[in-house]
Amino acid sequence: KLRVVSVRGTSSVQDAYADLKLYSSVAVLQFMAILTPVLTLMPVSVTRRLVKSEIGNRLFGNKAIWKRLEESTARHKEEGKQNGEVLVMTGHSLGGALVGAVSSRVQVDGIGFSPP
């Protein structure tokens, strides 16, 4: 048996703004790479750490974005466990980014399609 939590993607101006907020640091680094070889000069580990901490701060620093989803997913995980069901999360666009973060925190499988 399978239980699926599906997270809607970007569908409003507010959601698009959330996309921009989440991934603005990545976009800035990519734009800077066009002008100067900043990404090629930095060690990959530094770039990863910079992007990971910035995205993490944006996502987890704003509890309104993910807290309800995390609580709901934890509840579904527990209910599914009692019914012999495996929980899987899926999402597209902004929903894919949220699925990636929340599924790792709740420790369930998650698949995100075209996250920002």
Side-chain angles (χ1 to χ4, degrees):
K1 292 182 176 181
L2 184 67
R3 182 180 285 227
V4 178
V5 171
S6 180
V7 183
R8 177 180 53 102
T10 306
S11 66
S12 69
V13 173
Q14 185 178 4
D15 289 348
Y17 180 69
D19 284 345
L20 289 171
K21 250 176 101 172
L22 276 173
Y23 290 95
S24 60
S25 60
V26 174
V28 168
L29 285 173
Q30 289 174 337
F31 179 72
M32 289 301 295
I34 294 169
L35 302 176
T36 180
V38 68
L39 292 176
T40 57
L41 296 174
M42 280 195 299
V44 173
S45 61
V46 172
T47 305
R48 282 185 186 148
R49 193 171 36 243
L50 174 68
V51 170
K52 182 180 176 184
S53 66
E54 180 65 23
I55 291 171
N57 287 340
R58 298 278 185 184
L59 191 58
F60 297 117
N62 184 349
K63 289 187 178 189
I65 291 177
W66 61 271
K67 193 61 178 165
R68 267 186 35 202
L69 177 60
E70 183 179 32
E71 290 168 354
S72 176
T73 302
R75 189 185 78 244
H76 278 290
K77 179 182 176 182
E78 190 57 38
E79 289 173 3
K81 189 187 221 181
Q82 292 171 0
N83 295 328
E85 300 166 336
V86 174
L87 178 65
V88 175
M89 295 183 74
T90 186
H92 175 261
S93 190
L94 179 58
L98 291 169
V99 163
V102 172
S103 66
S104 67
R105 290 177 64 93
V106 180
Q107 298 180 343
V108 298
D109 290 333
I111 301 170
F113 295 95
S114 299

